[in-house]
Amino acid sequence: MTTPRTSGAAPAPALAILNAHVVPIEGEPFDGTVVLEDGRITALGAGVEAPSGMETLDAAGKWLLPGFVDAHVHLGTHEEGEGSAGDDTNEMTDPVMAGVRVLDAINPYDPGFDDALAGGITTVNVNPGSGNPIGGLAVAIHTHGRYIEEMLLRSPSGLKSALGENPKRVYGGKEKTPSTRLGTALIIRKAFKDAQNYLGKDDENARDPHLEALAMVLRREIPWRQHAHRADDIATALRLADEFGYDLVLDHGTEAHLLADVLAERGTPVLIGPLFTTKSKVELRGRSLANPGKLAAAGVEISIITDHPVIPINFLVHQATLAMKEGLDRTTALRSITLNPAKVLGLADRLGSLAVGKDADVVLWSGDPLDVMQRALGVWIGGRKVYSYDTEARAGVVVPRGA
């Protein structure tokens, strides 16, 4: 399920952004113009001129980039400052919750969405939590809108699963399977075998939301989003993917660098992060800002994630900057928060770089966004300006949702 290029809000006005330092991600940066019309990029280049009569904005040398993409958050489901009343990340009443849809729990008025815009983030992938071996269906959305149907980009965008400490702690505490890593693998394996049997039937009366979600993974319609930190859990993830033949995406990958050559050979993408937290549990002992660079150097396609609210979402770009300090190359740092996560979400034809025909999701920065002293000055989603920074008030201004 995808949405039109424009939401139910008022049509976006055509706009030509002039005299910008444009970083298209694919292709070399240039000083010139980007034209936004009907929610898409219709022209860009050093020699492009604004069409006659079109509204223009003189960027005066400021930096223009595609909107950033955070491919693993709990935005809108683990709400800012709401405590348990606003926490709907995990339905931990059964270890197999494949059929729950996180989109049914997202509050678009969570203040975290405003923080996302301030950080230049126009697209997020909202995941269920990691309390269950199988946690539910994820969704890719824009970061501005009145309600989810206006914000949707891809639903579902993957099926969340968790290995490691979290599910064994949750269900071990209930004296219920799984209480160990081997029990977690059993739960996942049994669920897929049930789904395989389900696919062999043609019985309308036997439809089951959990099995239908798993069947989408087996048919490779959506990826299996595997929460895994330790190298042994990553090896289990690879083993299960081989057994059942689905498309695997590794979320977190704290020790993925220990198997970097294996992951690179298989073409398994790693969504690495969050990178700013403490080593708060055993499986995080290998966390390091150097790990993204190690993975990229080995040929692994990486995306950097915040896992918001674990790390405030507006810190996404700062994680990329500090990963550069520890060895990640600049080109990959920018791709890790733009084009690479767009690929993982199956949205690279619309997002993640500036090109003719792509969505007009662009951000004007005061300077190089990898410089922590620079900030997002303007954010456009589908060609509509949804955020601006008031330099006199020193505050961000978000367009009211639905305006």
Side-chain angles (χ1 to χ4, degrees):
M1 178 179 180
T2 57
T3 57
R5 290 183 181 271
T6 56
S7 71
L15 175 68
I17 302 175
L18 312 176
N19 302 317
H21 180 68
V22 181
V23 182
I25 303 302
E26 292 183 293
E28 292 298 316
F30 62 89
D31 295 332
T33 298
V34 176
V35 179
L36 314 179
E37 296 181 273
D38 298 323
R40 293 188 290 176
I41 298 170
T42 57
L44 73 166
V48 169
E49 296 184 0
S52 178
M54 180 176 288
E55 179 184 350
T56 62
L57 171 65
D58 186 352
K62 298 178 179 65
W63 291 47
L64 191 72
L65 285 88
F68 292 155
V69 181
D70 190 336
H72 182 126
V73 301
H74 304 290
L75 197 61
T77 64
H78 193 159
E79 299 174 42
E80 300 279 348
E82 292 290 340
S84 60
D87 185 357
D88 293 295
T89 53
N90 283 293
E91 179 58 50
M92 294 183 293
T93 51
D94 190 272
V96 177
M97 279 291 164
V100 300
R101 305 184 308 166
V102 76
L103 67 83
D104 293 322
I106 298 172
N107 176 12
Y109 295 90
D110 176 359
F113 282 102
D114 292 353
D115 293 338
L117 294 173
I121 299 161
T122 55
T123 297
V124 292
N125 191 72
V126 184
N127 283 345
S130 54
N132 295 323
I134 304 177
L137 294 164
V139 62
I141 60 174
H142 276 136
T143 51
H144 190 275
R146 291 179 301 158
Y147 66 112
I148 292 303
E149 278 65 26
E150 276 189 358
M151 303 161 71
L152 274 181
L153 287 162
R154 185 184 181 195
S155 178
S157 55
L159 182 54
K160 174 70 176 289
S161 170
L163 296 169
E165 294 181 26
N166 289 4
K168 61 179 270 189
R169 181 187 69 249
V170 169
Y171 288 96
K174 298 178 181 182
E175 297 185 349
K176 181 177 180 179
T177 305
S179 63
T180 61
R181 281 178 164 81
L182 55 96
T184 301
L186 171 65
I187 291 289
I188 295 169
R189 189 170 278 115
K190 182 179 185 304
F192 273 120
K193 288 186 180 295
D194 288 344
Q196 287 175 329
N197 294 334
Y198 176 81
L199 281 171
K201 297 177 180 178
D202 186 16
D203 183 357
E204 286 293 322
N205 297 319
R207 296 185 67 179
D208 180 280
H210 298 315
L211 295 176
E212 287 182 355
L214 289 159
M216 292 179 72
V217 175
L218 291 175
R219 290 193 296 262
R220 307 182 90 159
E221 296 170 3
I222 58 173
W224 183 250
R225 295 289 300 268
Q226 187 68 73
H227 164 115
H229 287 279
R230 262 177 29 179
D232 56 337
D233 290 325
I234 292 169
T236 297
L238 297 175
R239 188 177 311 118
L240 287 166
D242 285 345
E243 184 173 345
F244 293 101
Y246 48 72
D247 294 327
L248 174 66
V249 176
L250 284 176
D251 285 51
H252 303 304
T254 298
E255 293 184 359
H257 61 285
L258 300 178
L259 298 175
D261 57 332
V262 177
L263 296 170
E265 182 179 354
R266 297 168 64 105
T268 303
V270 176
L271 310 186
I272 189 163
L275 299 171
F276 282 179
T277 64
T278 61
K279 299 170 184 177
S280 56
K281 56 184 179 180
V282 173
E283 62 187 20
L284 302 183
R285 288 181 298 185
R287 173 165 288 160
S288 169
L289 283 161
N291 289 347
K294 293 177 182 178
L295 286 167
V300 178
E301 182 182 280
I302 66 163
S303 300
I304 292 176
I305 60 174
T306 62
D307 200 13
H308 177 91
V310 179
I311 295 295
I313 192 166
N314 50 307
F315 286 3
L316 176 67
V317 68
H318 302 324
Q319 292 189 121
T321 296
L322 293 187
M324 282 177 55
K325 180 180 178 181
E326 301 303 327
L328 181 64
D329 69 278
R330 178 185 176 84
T331 297
T332 304
L334 282 175
R335 290 177 70 99
S336 74
I337 53 176
T338 54
L339 191 58
N340 288 357
K343 288 180 180 179
V344 166
L345 300 181
L347 294 169
D349 61 329
R350 295 181 59 178
L351 310 171
S353 64
L354 303 180
V356 171
K358 287 202 171 187
D359 288 13
D361 296 355
V362 302
V363 180
L364 187 66
W365 291 82
S366 56
D368 181 357
L370 293 172
D371 175 352
V372 296
M373 298 305 293
Q374 307 303 320
R375 65 172 71 251
L377 298 177
V379 178
W380 289 259
I381 293 179
R384 295 181 62 244
K385 193 171 188 180
V386 295
Y387 172 90
S388 59
Y389 184 75
D390 186 329
T391 54
E392 291 187 5
R394 296 189 64 81
V397 180
V398 176
V399 172
R401 297 177 186 277

